[in-house]
Amino acid sequence: MAERCDAVVIGAGVVGLAVARALARAGRDVLILERHDVIGSETSSRNSEVIHAGIYYPTGSMKAAMCVRGKALLYEHCRTHNVPHKRLGKVIVATTEEQFAVLEDYRRQARINGVGDLPWLTRDDVLALEPEVDALAGVYSPSTGIIDSHGFMVSLVGDIEAAGGMIAFLTEVTDLERTSSGVRVHCHDFALDADLVINAAGLWAPAMAARLGGGRRGYFAKGHYFTLSGASPFTHLVYPIAEAGGLGVHVTLDMGGQAKFGPDVVWQDDDDYSFDSVDIERFVAAIRRYYPGLDPSRLNPGYTGVRPKLAPAGEPAADFVVDGPADNGVPGLVNLLGIESPGLTSSLAIAEHVLTLLEIA
């Protein structure tokens, strides 16, 4: 006999926590089920920690809408909750004249997406902002920033607990079963009949959705990050032209000012986080296209992350899929699929959208 539960969120990553917070603050009794012993130990803590502007995403896409709205909500949340962050700005650089057209496309798409104007940078402008960067031109994104992602997640947990929500750690969901009134959530030694179930299982969300006959196939794309020892030569984020599967090996800074490079794109069949799959020569070559002064001996292995993809290698990146009851036919169920970058930036906006789909004021 299963116990009854109002709202279950599967996964205590940043998006699961954001949705749980929104539900709890709307008066729902929320329980988060997390298979690990800490919050955000997968995708949410293995990324660039960038607050994205919303530049790259196709017109009318969920990624564009959620990123732009989420960015505004996130900066406000950081202000009110004292979450460490910095609005550093980002320089996107062209290292060949053929890439100028791509920069113009970025400027055009940014305006369409509601990001605003991205000032054009000449070679001298780029050098004035970043003296170590070798580029023929660039554009500047003033609203891009960085965030302490763990601090953000801790602030979400604080709001969840203040509203009466709870997290059950080391609690893995083993199956989902449709019932006459909603969804039965099976764990190893108990089951819950929940009125609302939010599948925010990240890398495993497509497989979880498939247990109720829906969802999409998921794919895994690893990215490696290297830290740069010593003082950082950069004061802004520096991005090359985007590449297939990601935004290219870029420079970002942490809250202490240390520079890191990443991620590359390595397709794989599972969530292997080992560092031995990196092609270091290709990684260094990618950095030297815009930072020719790189001393490879200053690169130190940092960490890896795995992106939850909905499209395989060689195909265009898929949009976020926020699959509500009207889509999946299961009352109270929302599947959050393919929430890769800009998922962290979009998290609070995705939470808003989930409440709308569930018709919760």
Side-chain angles (χ1 to χ4, degrees):
M1 186 73 179
E3 295 185 28
R4 287 222 53 87
C5 184
D6 183 16
V8 168
V9 175
I10 304 169
V14 67
V15 175
L17 293 173
V19 175
R21 169 183 180 266
L23 288 168
R25 297 179 91 182
R28 306 308 293 250
D29 185 11
V30 178
L31 175 63
I32 305 167
L33 304 179
E34 170 53 52
R35 68 190 183 116
H36 297 294
D37 60 355
V38 293
I39 58 174
S41 64
E42 294 187 2
T43 307
S44 298
S45 61
R46 295 172 171 271
N47 55 63
S48 297
E49 295 190 298
V50 170
I51 300 176
H52 288 284
I55 297 166
Y56 303 93
Y57 314 112
T59 304
S61 65
M62 182 71 71
K63 285 183 177 179
M66 294 296 102
C67 186
V68 173
R69 172 63 177 160
K71 175 183 63 177
L73 293 173
L74 185 52
Y75 275 127
E76 178 62 15
H77 180 94
C78 288
R79 185 187 68 80
T80 59
H81 289 70
N82 296 315
V83 176
H85 70 290
K86 293 179 182 178
R87 197 183 300 236
L88 293 178
K90 174 171 74 174
V91 180
I92 310 173
V93 297
T95 55
T96 67
E97 290 186 1
E98 289 76 17
Q99 293 178 339
F100 287 8
V102 180
L103 291 182
E104 288 290 6
D105 286 343
Y106 290 164
R107 299 179 79 199
R108 187 179 308 110
Q109 196 61 47
R111 287 191 290 269
I112 292 171
N113 289 351
V115 177
D117 288 332
L118 304 183
W120 184 269
L121 303 175
T122 65
R123 180 182 179 86
D124 288 342
D125 293 333
V126 173
L127 287 171
L129 289 171
E130 293 294 345
E132 294 295 322
V133 172
D134 184 18
L136 300 181
V139 295
Y140 183 64
S141 170
S143 66
T144 302
I146 58 172
I147 185 172
D148 177 348
S149 60
H150 183 72
F152 175 43
M153 288 188 283
V154 168
S155 76
L156 295 175
V157 172
D159 283 352
I160 291 165
E161 293 178 342
M166 298 176 58
I167 305 176
F169 291 107
L170 298 174
T171 306
E172 183 173 4
V173 175
T174 58
D175 201 5
L176 298 177
E177 176 189 356
R178 183 169 181 173
T179 67
S180 59
S181 59
V183 177
R184 179 165 294 174
V185 181
H186 293 269
C187 298
H188 284 294
D189 51 3
F190 67 92
L192 298 169
D193 281 338
D195 296 324
L196 305 176
V197 173
I198 312 302
N199 171 14
L203 294 167
W204 313 109
M208 193 69 66
R211 296 180 182 277
L212 291 172
R216 305 254 304 262
R217 179 180 174 184
Y219 301 88
F220 301 84
K222 181 192 289 185
H224 299 79
Y225 291 87
F226 283 84
T227 60
L228 186 70
S229 62
S232 169
F234 309 103
T235 55
H236 304 80
L237 311 186
V238 181
Y239 276 57
I241 298 298
E243 63 180 39
L247 297 181
V249 176
H250 53 261
V251 180
T252 187
L253 304 170
D254 65 18
M255 295 304 301
Q258 184 178 45
K260 57 186 174 184
F261 295 93
D264 56 356
V265 180
V266 179
W267 293 89
Q268 57 188 34
D269 296 326
D270 54 25
D271 63 336
D272 172 28
Y273 290 106
S274 65
F275 215 92
D276 57 9
S277 56
V278 66
D279 183 342
I280 185 63
E281 292 184 2
R282 185 171 179 272
F283 205 98
V284 168
I287 298 170
R288 279 182 166 165
R289 291 190 189 105
Y290 58 87
Y291 176 36
L294 172 68
D295 176 0
S297 69
R298 293 179 62 192
L299 289 178
N300 300 291
Y303 57 94
T304 64
V306 180
R307 306 167 180 89
K309 294 283 191 178
L310 293 180
E315 292 189 11
D319 199 5
F320 293 158
V321 172
V322 181
D323 178 52
D327 305 301
N328 58 50
V330 181
L333 174 67
V334 178
N335 293 306
L336 302 175
L337 310 176
I339 312 297
E340 54 170 335
S341 179
L344 189 156
T345 305
S346 303
S347 57
L348 296 174
I350 291 172
E352 274 189 342
H353 185 62
V354 168
L355 263 62
T356 299
L357 292 179
L358 295 174
E359 300 180 349
I360 297 173

